[in-house]
Protein backbone atom coordinates (compact mmCIF):
# COMPACT_ATOMS: atom_id res chain seq x y z
CA UNK A 1 0.00 0.00 0.00
CA UNK A 2 1.45 3.33 -0.97
CA UNK A 3 -0.21 5.94 1.27
CA UNK A 4 -2.57 5.87 4.22
CA UNK A 5 -3.97 8.65 6.36
CA UNK A 6 -5.28 8.20 9.88
CA UNK A 7 -8.25 10.57 10.01
CA UNK A 8 -12.04 10.35 9.65
CA UNK A 9 -11.98 12.59 6.56
CA UNK A 10 -10.10 12.73 3.26
CA UNK A 11 -7.15 15.13 3.53
CA UNK A 12 -4.19 13.61 1.65
CA UNK A 13 -4.68 13.08 -2.07
CA UNK A 14 -4.61 9.45 -3.25
CA UNK A 15 -4.46 8.04 0.28
CA UNK A 16 -6.45 5.25 1.85
CA UNK A 17 -8.33 6.77 4.79
CA UNK A 18 -8.13 4.63 7.94
CA UNK A 19 -10.12 5.42 11.09
CA UNK A 20 -11.35 3.60 14.19
CA UNK A 21 -15.04 4.15 13.37
CA UNK A 22 -17.01 3.89 10.11
CA UNK A 23 -17.76 7.13 8.30
CA UNK A 24 -18.64 8.49 4.87
CA UNK A 25 -14.99 9.20 3.99
CA UNK A 26 -13.42 6.21 5.79
CA UNK A 27 -12.04 3.46 3.53
CA UNK A 28 -10.82 1.03 6.22
CA UNK A 29 -11.90 0.66 9.87
CA UNK A 30 -9.00 -0.41 12.09
CA UNK A 31 -7.55 0.10 15.56
CA UNK A 32 -5.25 3.11 15.06
CA UNK A 33 -2.86 1.90 17.78
CA UNK A 34 -2.50 -1.53 16.17
CA UNK A 35 -2.66 -1.27 12.39
CA UNK A 36 -2.74 -4.72 10.80
CA UNK A 37 -0.91 -3.93 7.57
CA UNK A 38 1.98 -6.26 6.76
CA UNK A 39 5.32 -5.14 8.20
CA UNK A 40 7.19 -2.72 5.92
CA UNK A 41 4.29 -2.55 3.45
CA UNK A 42 3.23 1.11 3.64
CA UNK A 43 5.12 3.91 1.90
CA UNK A 44 3.58 6.85 3.77
CA UNK A 45 1.46 7.31 6.88
CA UNK A 46 -0.06 10.70 7.67
CA UNK A 47 -1.69 11.00 11.09
CA UNK A 48 -4.00 13.89 11.96
CA UNK A 49 -4.56 14.56 15.66
CA UNK A 50 -4.32 10.90 16.63
CA UNK A 51 -1.45 11.06 19.12
CA UNK A 52 -2.88 13.95 21.10
CA UNK A 53 -6.05 11.90 21.68
CA UNK A 54 -4.03 9.05 23.19
CA UNK A 55 -2.30 8.88 26.55
CA UNK A 56 1.48 9.05 26.21
CA UNK A 57 2.07 5.32 26.79
CA UNK A 58 -0.57 4.53 24.13
CA UNK A 59 1.05 7.03 21.76
CA UNK A 60 4.40 5.25 21.99
CA UNK A 61 2.73 1.88 21.30
CA UNK A 62 0.95 3.37 18.27
CA UNK A 63 4.15 4.96 16.93
CA UNK A 64 6.03 1.65 17.24
CA UNK A 65 3.23 -0.07 15.32
CA UNK A 66 3.30 2.59 12.58
CA UNK A 67 7.11 2.29 12.38
CA UNK A 68 6.68 -1.46 11.85
CA UNK A 69 4.14 -0.91 9.04
CA UNK A 70 6.34 1.57 7.17
CA UNK A 71 8.57 0.36 4.37
CA UNK A 72 12.28 1.19 4.53
CA UNK A 73 12.54 4.81 3.43
CA UNK A 74 8.83 5.31 4.17
CA UNK A 75 7.63 8.56 5.69
CA UNK A 76 5.51 9.21 8.75
CA UNK A 77 3.82 12.61 9.09
CA UNK A 78 2.53 13.38 12.57
CA UNK A 79 0.14 16.31 13.04
CA UNK A 80 -0.84 17.34 16.59
CA UNK A 81 -1.81 20.51 18.39
CA UNK A 82 1.21 22.65 19.33
CA UNK A 83 0.73 23.06 23.07
CA UNK A 84 3.25 25.88 23.31
CA UNK A 85 1.38 27.91 20.68
CA UNK A 86 -2.03 27.18 22.22
CA UNK A 87 -0.85 28.00 25.76
CA UNK A 88 0.50 31.35 24.56
CA UNK A 89 -2.74 32.06 22.69
CA UNK A 90 -4.72 31.31 25.85
CA UNK A 91 -2.56 33.33 28.23
CA UNK A 92 -2.42 36.18 25.70
CA UNK A 93 -6.20 36.29 25.44
CA UNK A 94 -6.40 35.13 21.80
CA UNK A 95 -8.53 32.12 22.79
CA UNK A 96 -10.83 31.70 25.77
CA UNK A 97 -11.29 28.69 28.03
CA UNK A 98 -14.37 27.55 26.11
CA UNK A 99 -12.43 27.44 22.84
CA UNK A 100 -9.58 25.62 24.55
CA UNK A 101 -11.93 23.04 26.05
CA UNK A 102 -13.85 22.48 22.78
CA UNK A 103 -10.88 22.35 20.41
CA UNK A 104 -7.64 21.68 22.28
CA UNK A 105 -8.32 19.70 25.47
CA UNK A 106 -6.88 16.23 24.79
CA UNK A 107 -5.46 13.24 26.63
CA UNK A 108 -1.91 14.39 25.75
CA UNK A 109 -0.34 17.69 24.86
CA UNK A 110 2.89 18.03 22.90
CA UNK A 111 5.46 20.67 22.19
CA UNK A 112 8.15 20.15 19.55
CA UNK A 113 10.64 18.49 21.89
CA UNK A 114 8.21 16.12 23.61
CA UNK A 115 6.75 14.99 20.28
CA UNK A 116 10.22 14.42 18.81
CA UNK A 117 11.19 12.45 21.93
CA UNK A 118 8.35 9.92 21.64
CA UNK A 119 8.92 9.53 17.89
CA UNK A 120 12.57 8.71 18.64
CA UNK A 121 11.47 6.34 21.44
CA UNK A 122 9.36 4.49 18.85
CA UNK A 123 12.42 3.72 16.71
CA UNK A 124 12.83 6.65 14.33
CA UNK A 125 16.29 8.23 14.12
CA UNK A 126 16.55 11.90 15.09
CA UNK A 127 18.72 12.50 12.02
CA UNK A 128 15.77 11.37 9.85
CA UNK A 129 13.25 13.81 11.31
CA UNK A 130 12.10 17.19 10.04
CA UNK A 131 9.84 19.79 11.67
CA UNK A 132 7.61 21.64 9.21
CA UNK A 133 6.61 25.24 9.96
CA UNK A 134 4.32 25.46 6.94
CA UNK A 135 2.32 22.99 4.86
CA UNK A 136 4.20 20.06 3.41
CA UNK A 137 4.06 20.85 -0.33
CA UNK A 138 2.05 18.29 -2.26
CA UNK A 139 1.52 16.18 0.87
CA UNK A 140 -0.55 17.86 3.59
CA UNK A 141 -1.80 21.19 4.91
CA UNK A 142 -0.83 22.72 8.26
CA UNK A 143 -2.91 24.99 10.47
CA UNK A 144 -1.20 27.76 12.45
CA UNK A 145 -1.71 25.96 15.79
CA UNK A 146 -0.36 22.58 14.64
CA UNK A 147 2.95 20.77 14.91
CA UNK A 148 3.94 18.77 11.84
CA UNK A 149 6.85 16.35 12.12
CA UNK A 150 8.10 14.14 9.31
CA UNK A 151 10.09 11.02 10.23
CA UNK A 152 11.68 8.73 7.66
CA UNK A 153 12.25 5.06 8.48
Amino acid sequence: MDKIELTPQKIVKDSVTVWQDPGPEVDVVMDLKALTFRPESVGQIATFHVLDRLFEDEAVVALKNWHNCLAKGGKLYVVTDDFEYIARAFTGGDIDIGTFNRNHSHASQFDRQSLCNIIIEAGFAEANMRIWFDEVPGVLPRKHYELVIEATK
Side-chain angles (χ1 to χ4, degrees):
M1 184 163 300
D2 189 40
K3 296 191 286 189
I4 65 170
E5 58 184 347
L6 306 183
T7 175
Q9 60 196 24
K10 300 276 184 193
I11 297 173
V12 178
K13 185 179 178 187
D14 301 323
S15 284
V16 173
T17 303
V18 179
W19 195 242
Q20 62 209 8
D21 300 307
E25 298 183 48
V26 174
D27 299 314
V28 177
V29 175
M30 195 177 291
D31 180 349
L32 303 179
K33 297 178 296 216
L35 301 178
T36 57
F37 297 106
R38 284 185 337 236
E40 299 191 345
S41 66
V42 180
Q44 176 182 299
I45 301 173
T47 72
F48 295 90
H49 298 278
V50 174
L51 292 184
D52 41 8
R53 269 108 176 133
L54 302 175
F55 291 104
E56 192 170 335
D57 58 331
E58 295 173 311
V60 172
V61 168
L63 281 161
K64 287 179 179 181
N65 171 258
W66 303 342
H67 183 273
N68 186 53
C69 292
L70 276 175
K72 186 168 175 55
K75 295 194 180 293
L76 172 69
Y77 294 95
V78 176
V79 179
T80 68
D81 282 352
D82 181 346
F83 182 72
E84 186 175 342
Y85 177 92
I86 292 164
R88 287 182 179 168
F90 176 73
T91 58
D94 296 328
I95 63 172
D96 61 22
I97 193 67
T99 301
F100 176 83
N101 286 336
R102 275 189 309 281
N103 301 329
H104 306 291
S105 180
H106 309 306
S108 295
Q109 298 287 344
F110 297 100
D111 62 10
R112 280 185 224 122
Q113 191 60 55
S114 65
L115 185 55
C116 286
N117 288 346
I118 68 164
I119 292 171
I120 291 166
E121 184 179 342
F124 292 90
E126 184 174 6
N128 295 333
M129 293 173 53
R130 177 186 296 180
I131 298 171
W132 288 87
F133 295 97
D134 202 353
E135 69 179 46
V136 182
V139 180
L140 56 93
R142 178 189 169 272
K143 295 180 178 122
H144 64 282
Y145 59 84
E146 292 176 325
L147 285 172
V148 177
I149 298 184
E150 172 187 327
T152 303
K153 183 173 177 182

